[in-house]
Amino acid sequence: MCATDDRAGAGWMASVFLGKGRRCLTPAGGVFEAVVKLTHGCNLQCTYCYDRATRGEERRQNGAVMPVDTVRKIARDLLKMPLRSVILTFHGGEPLISFSHLREAVLAAKETADDGANLKLCVQTNGTLVTPEIAEFLASNGVAVGISVDGYCDNHNRYRWPAGAGWMERIGVAIRMLISYGIVPGVLVVASRANIAEMDSIVRWLHESGVRSVRVNPVRDWGRSILHWRDITVSNDELLEMYQRVGGCTTEINSRVLPSARTVERTLESIASVVAFGFPSDCCGEPCLAGRLTASFEPEGEVYICDCAPKTQEYLLGNIVNDRLEDLIGAASPNVARLQSRRCADIDRCKDCQWRYMCFAGCGIDAEVTYGRLCEAAPLCSVYKGLFHYVLRMFAGHKLQYLLSRPERVLGAEAVICPEGGRSIVCPPAAQ
């Protein structure tokens, strides 16, 4: 096989996946990711926010909060299941809009876990309400933090309302404050018309600020974004070009620093992991893991199949207040079974595609929302294809490691990290 031949590379990867039997985790022994919506209330009204989807603005603004007993039940039900670990992400709305309530929720979740239970707690915030008291509490309780950032001052504030309130300055303070308390936050960036041209510069600025994990997401076409779609969205071609620029930026950064100081973009890392480790990411696997190893919990107790799904009947599993979680999730649920029935072999655009065992047709929920049918390739199909080409070229140029936060294992072979002249280099075993 010629290493620079993308088609040959795709054929080799297909043989890897077929030989490994499509390594998607089963619920037993897997990692369950639960998004816990403590409230729909928020101090901002971002133009692209998807939380408003099908719920009504007045309901989002009424500030309904999830009772602490519901948080406790979610954690208890999950920890009773045969899972390797559980990740609870406190979300919103804005979960810091009431710190006292967040504090109670964190402590309630921790109380349900035995000493040996593998429970990880996270909070996803817009960062504008972080204080030293909050940072100290999160650090002392081992709570990871994710912050949403859209760019530099003008671009960050462009889609965040009320306008002109200095949101970017507050977030810069929050990042520095969290790091001073020992929390290195992950950052979520929504790629929009306002910031896509400078995304590589944003990633570089975040690296210099001490951030080590960045995820750039496209705008979701539901929620408030549909009211402003033409003003904020970008094309697939623009997204692909942006991801490649970000990949070039992180490669240049990571080639000069030790692995502990690397900054990675998570979408690129996920695709690079397909090549490096031989199995697809959770969101590009077959069958879909939504409702099996992921779920989203609303303040009133409704359980939805995934936080990335609209909050509509097609994706509703039940209510945690009235039912045991183990009775709601898994293949026994009609909505979960419906998603699991999706196969790339049944999709005309995918069944003969050379990349089919790398993305498995992408996210079925995205496809259904965009095209009105489940058996269709995801709307980001052309972006995936372009990124697979890009990552294989990185592999051929011995640069794949720079897209990974943990490059110790590349293509399943042991590697040695060799600091050399300020650079971190992955050397094959034969070169030891």
Side-chain angles (χ1 to χ4, degrees):
M1 181 190 80
C2 176
T4 58
D5 186 335
D6 289 339
R7 183 172 293 275
W12 177 81
M13 289 305 301
S15 68
V16 169
F17 286 128
L18 289 173
K20 292 186 176 180
R22 301 178 182 178
R23 293 177 52 185
C24 287
L25 293 173
T26 58
V31 178
F32 197 103
E33 299 187 24
V35 175
V36 179
K37 303 275 188 175
L38 290 181
T39 178
H40 287 300
C42 187
N43 61 321
L44 301 182
Q45 298 180 49
C46 299
T47 302
Y48 53 74
C49 182
Y50 69 88
D51 187 54
R52 179 181 176 270
T54 72
R55 304 197 61 83
E57 187 69 11
E58 65 286 345
R59 187 178 181 188
R60 191 193 69 82
Q61 293 289 353
N62 69 13
V65 297
M66 177 181 288
V68 173
D69 284 345
T70 303
V71 176
R72 189 176 288 111
K73 187 174 188 299
I74 292 170
R76 184 183 300 118
D77 283 8
L78 283 170
L79 292 170
K80 286 179 180 178
M81 298 171 64
L83 298 163
R84 178 154 52 94
S85 62
V86 172
I87 301 172
L88 290 187
T89 298
F90 296 113
H91 210 284
E94 172 50 51
L96 296 184
I97 201 168
S98 173
F99 172 50
S100 61
H101 183 61
L102 175 66
R103 184 202 300 269
E104 291 182 30
V106 167
L107 296 178
K110 291 186 68 175
E111 287 170 3
T112 64
D114 297 330
D115 291 340
N118 193 353
L119 174 66
K120 179 179 180 180
L121 301 179
C122 312
V123 60
Q124 182 65 40
T125 172
N126 61 40
T128 63
L129 301 176
V130 176
T131 65
E133 179 187 9
I134 292 174
E136 182 179 16
F137 172 79
L138 297 176
S140 62
N141 285 277
V143 181
V145 178
I147 294 181
S148 56
V149 176
D150 290 347
Y152 304 112
C153 291
D154 291 342
N155 284 341
H156 180 82
N157 294 331
R158 178 172 174 180
Y159 296 134
R160 299 192 175 222
W161 299 90
W167 304 124
M168 186 60 234
E169 292 80 359
R170 298 191 196 187
I171 289 177
V173 170
I175 291 175
R176 292 190 294 272
M177 185 186 303
L178 288 166
I179 291 176
S180 72
Y181 279 90
I183 301 174
V184 180
V187 166
L188 176 66
V189 185
V190 176
S192 67
R193 181 64 53 201
N195 63 12
I196 193 166
E198 62 178 29
M199 194 64 71
D200 49 335
S201 298
I202 294 170
V203 171
R204 188 178 299 278
W205 166 67
L206 289 170
H207 169 78
E208 293 170 354
S209 300
V211 173
R212 298 294 172 254
S213 173
V214 181
R215 180 180 290 278
V216 183
N217 281 343
V219 178
R220 295 270 176 196
D221 57 347
W222 59 82
R224 194 182 292 118
S225 67
I226 61 176
L227 304 176
H228 311 276
W229 188 250
R230 291 187 178 181
D231 295 330
I232 62 178
T233 192
V234 295
S235 69
N236 278 6
D237 288 344
E238 290 171 301
L239 281 173
L240 175 58
E241 191 271 338
M242 177 272 296
Y243 279 122
Q244 291 175 335
R245 280 191 288 108
V246 169
C249 174
T250 56
T251 296
E252 188 271 326
I253 290 171
N254 295 338
S255 67
R256 295 184 288 103
V257 300
L258 293 173
S260 60
R262 292 184 174 200
T263 296
V264 298
E265 196 287 316
R266 291 299 183 186
T267 299
L268 288 171
E269 182 177 47
S270 177
I271 291 176
S273 294
V274 174
V275 174
F277 306 122
F279 57 92
S281 68
D282 291 350
C283 289
C284 289
E286 186 180 279
C288 179
L289 296 180
R292 300 168 65 225
L293 286 175
T294 69
S296 177
F297 299 83
E298 294 291 296
E300 298 86 352
E302 301 102 319
V303 184
Y304 288 90
I305 206 163
C306 178
D307 186 50
C308 294
K311 303 306 183 281
T312 57
Q313 197 68 29
E314 293 87 348
Y315 307 109
L316 178 66
L317 299 179
N319 194 301
I320 187 66
V321 175
N322 305 319
D323 302 295
R324 296 185 309 168
L325 186 58
E326 62 184 295
D327 296 330
L328 300 180
I329 65 173
S333 165
N335 284 343
V336 174
R338 187 175 64 85
L339 274 182
Q340 285 192 280
S341 69
R342 181 176 183 258
R343 295 287 186 273
C344 64
D346 299 327
I347 300 173
D348 289 341
R349 289 176 59 193
C350 304
K351 61 185 180 182
D352 296 321
C353 177
Q354 62 180 349
W355 310 106
R356 63 190 179 279
Y357 296 119
M358 299 176 80
C359 74
F360 293 99
C363 177
I365 295 172
D366 281 352
E368 188 168 51
V369 171
T370 302
Y371 304 116
R373 55 188 180 275
L374 193 60
C375 282
E376 180 57 80
L380 294 178
C381 175
S382 63
V383 179
Y384 295 149
K385 287 182 178 180
L387 289 180
F388 289 138
H389 280 276
Y390 172 74
V391 168
L392 282 172
R393 289 196 298 273
M394 294 288 283
F395 168 53
H398 305 287
K399 296 180 180 179
L400 184 67
Q401 54 155 320
Y402 300 127
L403 301 179
L404 300 168
S405 55
R406 298 185 61 186
E408 298 92 335
R409 297 182 64 85
V410 177
L411 294 173
E414 293 293 339
V416 179
I417 304 299
C418 304
E420 185 173 284
R423 297 165 61 89
S424 71
I425 304 170
V426 173
C427 303
Q432 295 182 35

